[in-house]
Amino acid sequence: TCYYPGDTLCPEGPDLMVVQSEIVSSLHLATLGSVDPCLVNEGCLTGYGTRDLMRFTTHIKNIGTQDFFIGAPSSNPQMFQFDACHGHYHFAGYAEYILYDTASQPLPIGFKNGFCVLDLECSGGGTAQYSCNNMGITAGCGDIYDSGLQCQWIDITDVPSGHYTLVVRTNWNQMPDALGRVEMDFENNWAQVCFDLVKDPIPGGHNHSFTLDPNCPPLVDCNGVVFGGAVYDCNGVCDGPALRGDVDNNLAQQVLDG
């Protein structure tokens, strides 16, 4: 019997997993006083001036039986996106950070991170072989984006006090690697942390705090799908076609709408 890659009965393949405990243990608040315009352009920040940040570490492990191979932009351009501001390539679809409110609606502060994917630890028994020049994660190894790195945060400057769910996900589009190998399991491509955020009521103040909520049920979208991508559109329709700012209602955001 032949089982295609991605079939649950197929015994071989990579398997990326987001380590939830790393997010919990590293989560902390910080401020950023000097803003590089490229950070706004890339989506790391949502504005200029002093920014309030929630920093955390992202640890993605390959617990599968095969490497997740990405390669280099020159040899596998389909795996990358070019950022003209900083003049470098990003691996498309590696890590995304999304903040959801109590209605499971994402706030417009999400960020995609994928500057360099490499073997930084091999606690699962692998042997490190990938670097920024030849990207990937070896089976039995993992990549770590430490909380102190640039863009390893979500910008909460304009986020009010409230209860939120931070979701970190990897390979959410379920792409095969550069060799066509499909992950063995996509159930572990997500991790989440729930917390209560308290913002300083004094204008310009930065005495913010948060409390982790240990009772954090899996995020469910408006269609009832666990970690699904469906959201309410501007008309309140789940997974509807309406777009914010689409004045002429032609289902496209255009200059004419302004």
Side-chain angles (χ1 to χ4, degrees):
T1 301
C2 180
Y3 299 106
Y4 289 93
D7 192 298
T8 55
L9 296 177
C10 187
E12 301 293 332
D15 185 10
L16 302 182
M17 180 191 75
V18 180
V19 182
Q20 191 258 0
S21 59
E22 294 271 6
I23 308 171
V24 173
S25 63
S26 63
L27 200 65
H28 66 279
L29 299 175
T31 57
L32 184 68
S34 178
V35 173
D36 178 353
C38 285
L39 297 181
V40 179
N41 180 73
E42 293 178 352
C44 293
L45 299 172
T46 57
Y48 296 92
T50 300
R51 311 305 296 177
D52 299 321
L53 309 176
M54 177 166 275
R55 287 182 170 271
F56 52 91
T57 294
T58 298
H59 185 179
I60 296 175
K61 303 181 70 170
N62 181 0
I63 61 173
T65 59
Q66 295 179 331
D67 299 352
F68 190 88
F69 177 66
I70 301 167
S74 58
S75 57
N76 298 303
Q78 77 280 5
M79 305 293 288
F80 295 87
Q81 295 175 340
F82 183 71
D83 175 58
C85 192
H86 273 145
H88 56 211
Y89 286 90
H90 295 179
F91 168 51
Y94 180 57
E96 184 172 33
Y97 314 140
I98 316 170
L99 191 64
Y100 291 89
D101 61 18
T102 54
S104 297
Q105 285 287 100
L107 278 65
I109 61 171
F111 171 66
K112 297 179 178 65
N113 204 352
F115 299 121
C116 178
V117 182
L118 73 162
D119 294 325
L120 280 182
E121 61 87 10
C122 291
S123 57
T127 300
Q129 59 181 316
Y130 295 111
S131 66
C132 291
N133 295 322
N134 186 38
M135 299 188 199
I137 303 181
T138 301
C141 295
D143 186 15
I144 301 173
Y145 282 14
D146 186 79
S147 63
L149 294 175
Q150 194 174 72
C151 295
Q152 197 50 45
W153 62 60
I154 53 172
D155 185 347
I156 60 169
T157 306
D158 302 315
V159 176
S161 298
H163 186 80
Y164 298 98
T165 301
L166 170 63
V167 170
V168 175
R169 61 181 187 172
T170 184
N171 195 20
W172 55 95
N173 292 325
Q174 302 184 4
M175 292 173 51
D177 74 354
L179 297 177
R181 294 181 293 211
V182 179
E183 285 194 61
M184 299 169 61
D185 180 17
F186 293 105
E187 296 286 329
N188 54 7
N189 287 43
W190 308 73
Q192 65 175 41
V193 177
C194 295
F195 61 90
D196 291 289
L197 178 67
V198 178
K199 299 290 288 285
D200 193 333
I202 301 174
H206 299 288
N207 187 26
H208 310 322
S209 64
F210 72 93
T211 304
L212 291 174
D213 180 1
N215 300 313
C216 189
L219 188 86
V220 178
D221 71 7
C222 57
N223 277 330
V225 178
V226 176
F227 289 124
V231 298
Y232 290 104
D233 69 6
C234 298
N235 295 325
V237 178
C238 180
D239 218 13
L243 299 173
R244 187 175 301 278
D246 180 17
V247 178
D248 57 9
N249 201 32
N250 68 345
L251 304 182
Q253 294 172 318
Q254 300 168 312
V255 175
L256 295 177
D257 290 323

